[in-house]
Every structure is written in structure tokens, then in C-alpha cells.
């Protein structure tokens, strides 16, 4: 089990930004994450993007892989 990263609006905003640049809806990103073994529902993804839910290191790693971004991309504005 991975570590949780505190709910953070800027991380969520960056996920939303990168998801948008890839032309993916929340549902599409959720489906791709599930294919990669990261069980995040669309609703959970919405809460992460809104900054109201913690994100685990495993979830962060899955999103990084699917969106093809770096860890820095999560934390820079």
C-alpha cells in the first residue's frame, strides 16, 4: 500500500489540465487507469481534481503513466 498525499487543489488542477490537453474526459481517464490496474472511478477522479480527496502514491503513479507526464507536472503551476 502506498503513501497518501494530502488533498491539494493545485495537484487536482494540474491533473485536470493535463487530462484536458490529452482530450480525455474524467470517465475516459478513469477507464484507462483501470486498464492499467489503478482502480479510480470517475467520481473519485472528480474529487481528486477538486482537491477534496487524498491521492495515493500508486494513484499518482498510474495517472503519471496514463497521461505521460512527469511528477513535476503534478506540482508546478
Amino acid at each position: 500500500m502506498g503513501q497518501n498525499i494530502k488533498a491539494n487543489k493545485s495537484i487536482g488542477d494540474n491533473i485536470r489540465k493535463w487530462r484536458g490537453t490529452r482530450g480525455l474526459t474524467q470517465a475516459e481517464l478513469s477507464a484507462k487507469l483501470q486498464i492499467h490496474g489503478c482502480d479510480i472511478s470517475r467520481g473519485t477522479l472528480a474529487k481528486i481534481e477538486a482537491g477534496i480527496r487524498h491521492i495515493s502514491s500508486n494513484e499518482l503513479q498510474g495517472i503519471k503513466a496514463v497521461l505521460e507526464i512527469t511528477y513535476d507536472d503534478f506540482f508546478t503551476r
Side-chain angles (χ1 to χ4, degrees), residues 48-65:
I48 291 169
E49 287 185 359
I52 58 176
R53 182 192 176 273
H54 296 325
I55 184 169
S56 74
S57 58
N58 293 337
E59 292 166 340
L60 200 68
Q61 184 178 20
I63 292 169
K64 175 188 169 291

Side-chain angles (χ1 to χ4, degrees), residues 29-40 56 58-59 61-63 65-66:
L29 178 53
S30 173
K32 288 181 178 284
L33 288 166
Q34 290 179 15
I35 289 169
H36 279 84
C38 187
D39 189 23
I40 296 179
S56 74
N58 293 337
E59 292 166 340
Q61 184 178 20
I63 292 169
V66 170

